[in-house]
Amino acid sequence: MDVLTLDQRLNNIEDLLLSQKKVLRIPEASIYSGIAESYLYKLVSAGKITHSKPGGKCIYFDIDDLNDYLLSNKKLAPAYLSKVALSYTNKNRR
């Protein structure tokens, strides 16, 4: 097997294992989310992302909270908005 293929397969396995964890530390959260570690620290210090700091040293993220942050500030597709608007106006006609 090609070395590159082995590296890709190993990365895929690591990603699968990482997705099975419930609590992530900064390096794992960075890999999982694609957000740089330095930016995660900025988000934590600004209070923009939910985290835990038991004992005051290590920072932990609940994977569900991390997903909520990643999916916040959604932008809806124009086609969906048109559909919702049309449905609303049809329902609320007087």
Side-chain angles (χ1 to χ4, degrees):
M1 277 197 166
D2 187 4
V3 174
L4 184 61
T5 306
L6 288 176
D7 283 341
Q8 289 173 340
R9 292 178 68 192
L10 182 58
N11 285 337
N12 289 341
I13 291 170
E14 287 175 343
D15 290 344
L16 286 172
L17 291 174
L18 186 59
S19 68
Q20 297 299 316
K21 291 183 76 174
K22 179 80 172 125
V23 177
L24 305 174
R25 292 184 50 189
I26 289 275
E28 298 164 334
S30 175
I31 292 168
Y32 178 79
S33 66
I35 298 173
E37 289 183 29
S38 60
Y39 191 64
L40 282 173
Y41 282 113
K42 286 179 185 178
L43 291 172
V44 167
S45 68
K48 293 184 178 182
I49 190 167
T50 306
H51 65 282
S52 297
K53 209 172 180 183
K57 190 167 184 173
C58 293
I59 298 171
Y60 297 95
F61 300 96
D62 183 306
I63 201 161
D64 295 331
D65 291 338
L66 194 55
N67 286 333
D68 289 343
Y69 174 78
L70 293 172
L71 295 174
S72 64
N73 200 16
K74 288 183 182 180
K75 304 294 181 196
L76 299 176
Y80 177 76
L81 290 175
S82 296
K83 180 179 173 184
V84 170
L86 183 61
S87 173
Y88 178 80
T89 55
N90 287 338
K91 185 191 294 187
N92 293 318
R93 284 188 180 174
R94 291 182 187 221

